[in-house]
Amino acid sequence: MFAVGVNSSEKDFLEALKQPAAIFAGYVGQFFVKPLLGYLFGTIAVTLCGLPTSIGAGIMLVSCVSGAQLSSYATFLTDPALAPLSVVMTSLSTATAVFVTPFLSLLLIGKKLPVDVKGMISSITQIVVAPIAAGLLLNRFFPRICDAIRPFLPPLSVLVTACCVGAPLAININSVMSPFGFSILLLIVAFHLSSFVAGYFLTGLAFHRAPDVKALQRTLSYETGMQSSLLALALANRFFQDPLVSVPPAISTVLMSLMGFSLVMIWSKNKEQDLIKQS
């Protein structure tokens, strides 16, 4: 997030706010399309795969939470100009998750989950607002320092991202290696893959006349396919007695990140090839 701030300006975020249709589309992807897919794959897990009901509830719970901050960094890597728009989308979904996530969990799972409002506000401030604000201020008042540190930010960001992905896997390795682990892994892959695909193609249909439609498709694909699985994991551990509910969020935390940044690599390479062809 600090890297996003250093490479952006206040004008970029003001311009992002001038795209209400795109922001609304991202919100629909997060809290309508994704929960529908979560309900679908949660039902498949129980009815077709014969997995315990708690596993289906865990998959649905993953689909009810807000967007992941990693989606903004993924957008920054492929389409830097749209990173502020992604930050606005993710922050909006995170800020309203205190109301939407309990409602969706009650609707899909039948269990009302109280969410820590103060904790979410604190999380948004620490993970999104503070580092981006610091980067923006540094870029505005000390541009020479920004020029000096800018080359080091991409590898440092990759290291931090790797820690964000690896830590939840290490902590929840027992859940991932459970008897249901492989079946859940396939279901989670299918859930995230369908979310990425839905975000990409639905955006293409809705914004086919936009001049930057491909970049917008990639951005909303990240927004729809990547969510705060760590929040789902925390809710599962705190409000469900059955420990199996926490297995899908634990697996999702890792797979969501790996799949998202695999798309970053693919789309970045495709962009480079397109630029070579144009030149």
Side-chain angles (χ1 to χ4, degrees), residues 115-137:
V115 180
D116 184 1
V117 178
K118 291 183 179 179
M120 277 199 163
I121 294 174
S122 175
S123 176
I124 296 171
T125 303
Q126 293 178 44
I127 298 173
V128 180
V129 178
I132 288 180
L136 288 171
L137 290 172

Side-chain angles (χ1 to χ4, degrees), residues 27 31 64 96-105:
Y27 199 83
F31 287 131
C64 293
T96 56
V98 295
F99 309 107
V100 180
T101 295
F103 171 75
L104 287 174
S105 65

Side-chain angles (χ1 to χ4, degrees), residues 234-247:
L235 293 173
N237 288 331
R238 183 172 180 181
F239 298 112
F240 288 87
Q241 294 181 349
D242 193 334
L244 288 178
V245 179
S246 65
V247 178

